Amino acid sequence: MNPIVYAIPVFMLTILLEAWVARRRGVAVYDIPDAITSLHHGLLSQVTNAFTKIATLGIYIAVYEAYRFTEWSMSSIPLWILALVLYDLCYYWAHRMYHEVNVMWASHVVHHSSEYYNLSTALRQTSTGALFGWVFYLPLAVLGIPWQMLVIVGLIDLLYQYWVHTELIGRMGVLDRILVTPSNHRVHHGQNDYCIDKNYGGILVLWDRLFGTFADERDDEKICYGIRKPLHSFSPIKGNLHYYADLWQMSRAAKGWRAKLGVWVAPPGGWTDEPIEHFEPRTFTRFDVQPPRRCVGTWRCSPRCWCLLFRISSVWPRAWTEARPRCTRWAFWSRRWRWGRCSSVLSGASGWSRCVCWRWVCRSPPCRSGLGLRRRCCSRVRCWCCVWAVWSG
């Protein structure tokens, strides 16, 4: 079982808690279509990782068995700490290359495509990252770190990075000089000129200070999140593939094989000493699609919205799912709609496109029986208004 599956309830609860705190403070850090799109990216990445992780772990084990200098003891706590530090160093260089090589940026751009910065953004992960990232951790196999130790320290490094994706936590004093904190990582996700290609660390920000890629958050300049070429879409498929398509078009237009190859391996801005184009935060506007106002806030929509929300967040451990064989009638209006069905659609590789049927998130036709609702009520606009009604109170 993937350990991330057991962390999903924690992710959902903390996202709801952050949204509640942000609303109490009057801070607009969440947008419903954007947050749900981040969840879609996370689910899609977990599906693809189920196939790619086995292959990349197999390569690591093969290198470990053939080329290791020594074998690390699994019972030594100092070796565990050292393994975590070395893993974080490898992560720094992998993360940096994801920003400085075009074809790798095409994979990593997914994580930066959100124009909001909250805990759901941490779940907006790529589905093609396994194509490149495994190479940077092979030195650990040569050093003799067992694959079990690699998996555990990698999981620690990954889970640590979840909590730093928030705007609700300010500066943390001396910790900002040692660890990756929300303040440091906000800079990494910014479009502002001083934010570009900064703060790559996973747990320790010391790597950025050591290799000259650190930038401190500025109090006098508001950070605008997202990418310089806005995605303007809530489709997870487009989010994962749009930059690959751009590179393909540019390589076709380039003259000569050297230029064609350079398109893929050059930095995102190209090999040039010219400064990047200036970004003006005061003129930045977020991608926003407002739902129709005619059914927002109606009590009639609220039961159906719970069905939609449970459908979106229903990737729970199967034991918990099967413990509730039927949905309650008051919440879902359908005795035939089962919890097992609820989870299988989103956890399946081909079912994500049917889980949400409003046009701003997934441009699929209106669902026929996917939500288990009365067919005459299951239009794309209605589904969106249901979610919006509950969220806006």
Side-chain angles (χ1 to χ4, degrees):
M1 178 63 103
N2 187 349
I4 297 296
V5 172
Y6 293 100
I8 289 177
V10 178
F11 292 157
M12 295 302 162
L13 290 175
T14 51
I15 287 172
L16 292 175
L17 177 62
E18 182 190 36
W20 178 77
V21 172
R23 185 171 180 179
R24 290 291 299 270
R25 294 184 182 180
V27 182
V29 299
Y30 270 92
D31 177 71
I32 295 178
D34 181 84
I36 295 179
T37 301
S38 296
L39 299 183
H40 283 167
H41 280 89
L43 294 176
L44 192 60
S45 70
Q46 288 302 305
V47 171
T48 57
N49 286 342
F51 300 96
T52 58
K53 287 296 184 182
I54 298 176
T56 57
L57 189 59
I59 296 173
Y60 182 91
I61 294 174
V63 174
Y64 172 81
E65 294 292 344
Y67 300 105
R68 70 178 184 269
F69 291 146
T70 183
E71 186 173 350
W72 291 33
S73 173
M74 297 277 290
S75 60
S76 173
I77 294 179
L79 288 181
W80 276 94
I81 298 174
L82 180 59
L84 180 59
V85 172
L86 292 177
Y87 182 95
D88 198 58
L89 175 61
C90 293
Y91 174 85
Y92 167 86
W93 283 107
H95 194 184
R96 182 168 177 173
M97 291 302 104
Y98 272 116
H99 281 257
E100 297 184 0
V101 179
N102 249 337
V103 67
M104 298 181 68
W105 173 245
S107 170
H108 187 63
V109 69
V110 176
H111 184 59
H112 289 260
S113 60
S114 175
E115 295 176 348
Y116 292 82
Y117 190 75
N118 49 60
L119 292 178
S120 71
T121 306
L123 306 181
R124 185 178 288 223
Q125 297 294 325
T126 177
S127 297
T128 61
L131 297 174
F132 315 103
W134 58 272
V135 177
F136 295 89
Y137 302 100
L138 293 184
L140 302 182
V142 176
L143 289 176
I145 297 179
W147 70 267
Q148 299 94 331
M149 185 179 288
L150 175 85
V151 170
I152 293 175
V153 298
L155 184 63
I156 294 172
D157 200 279
L158 178 65
L159 293 178
Y160 175 89
Q161 297 174 47
Y162 173 74
W163 77 278
V164 301
H165 292 80
T166 181
E167 290 190 77
L168 301 186
I169 300 177
R171 295 181 179 273
M172 302 183 68
V174 68
L175 293 180
D176 290 332
R177 302 183 61 84
I178 303 172
L179 301 175
V180 174
T181 59
S183 175
N184 293 333
H185 205 61
R186 283 193 290 268
V187 173
H188 177 71
H189 275 257
Q191 297 187 57
N192 307 51
D193 293 343
Y194 81 94
C195 297
I196 299 298
D197 295 338
K198 299 296 182 181
N199 299 2
Y200 296 116
I203 295 179
L204 298 174
V205 80
L206 295 176
W207 311 124
D208 292 286
R209 294 183 179 275
L210 179 63
F211 297 114
T213 56
F214 177 77
D216 200 13
E217 185 178 19
R218 298 179 182 176
D219 296 328
D220 58 344
E221 183 175 341
K222 178 179 174 57
I223 296 179
C224 298
Y225 304 101
I227 52 181
R228 290 291 183 92
K229 182 182 178 182
L231 183 59
H232 287 171
S233 172
F234 293 126
S235 168
I237 301 298
K238 183 176 180 180
N240 275 282
L241 301 179
H242 74 100
Y243 200 77
Y244 287 108
D246 292 345
L247 292 180
W248 175 253
Q249 295 295 333
M250 288 189 290
S251 65
R252 289 186 60 186
K255 303 298 183 181
W257 68 270
R258 292 179 183 271
K260 292 180 182 295
L261 179 62
V263 168
W264 296 90
V265 299
W271 279 310
T272 176
D273 295 330
E274 297 180 3
I276 60 174
E277 183 179 352
H278 175 65
F279 177 82
E280 182 52 62
R282 291 175 295 182
T283 61
F284 173 72
T285 56
R286 287 168 167 164
F287 176 57
D288 186 26
V289 179
Q290 294 294 335
R293 302 295 298 178
R294 53 191 177 91
C295 74
V296 172
T298 58
W299 287 98
R300 185 181 177 186
C301 287
S302 58
R304 290 190 293 278
C305 98
W306 288 107
C307 171
L308 187 60
L309 288 176
F310 272 101
R311 187 61 163 262
I312 293 166
S313 60
S314 59
V315 184
W316 306 85
R318 185 168 294 278
W320 185 89
T321 303
E322 293 177 352
R324 296 289 302 273
R326 293 182 180 274
C327 297
T328 54
R329 184 177 181 182
W330 68 270
F332 298 98
W333 290 18
S334 175
R335 293 181 178 179
R336 296 176 298 171
W337 203 67
R338 296 176 180 271
W339 281 92
R341 202 184 199 184
C342 208
S343 68
S344 63
V345 171
L346 267 186
S347 59
S350 62
W352 71 269
S353 62
R354 298 196 301 274
C355 66
V356 180
C357 56
W358 65 83
R359 58 189 168 189
W360 292 281
V361 175
C362 174
R363 296 184 179 275
S364 59
C367 53
R368 297 174 179 84
S369 60
L371 290 177
L373 303 174
R374 296 179 181 178
R375 195 171 300 177
R376 60 185 175 84
C377 296
C378 195
S379 68
R380 285 179 287 185
V381 175
R382 280 294 182 90
C383 286
W384 163 252
C385 291
C386 291
V387 179
W388 185 271
V390 167
W391 190 270
S392 61

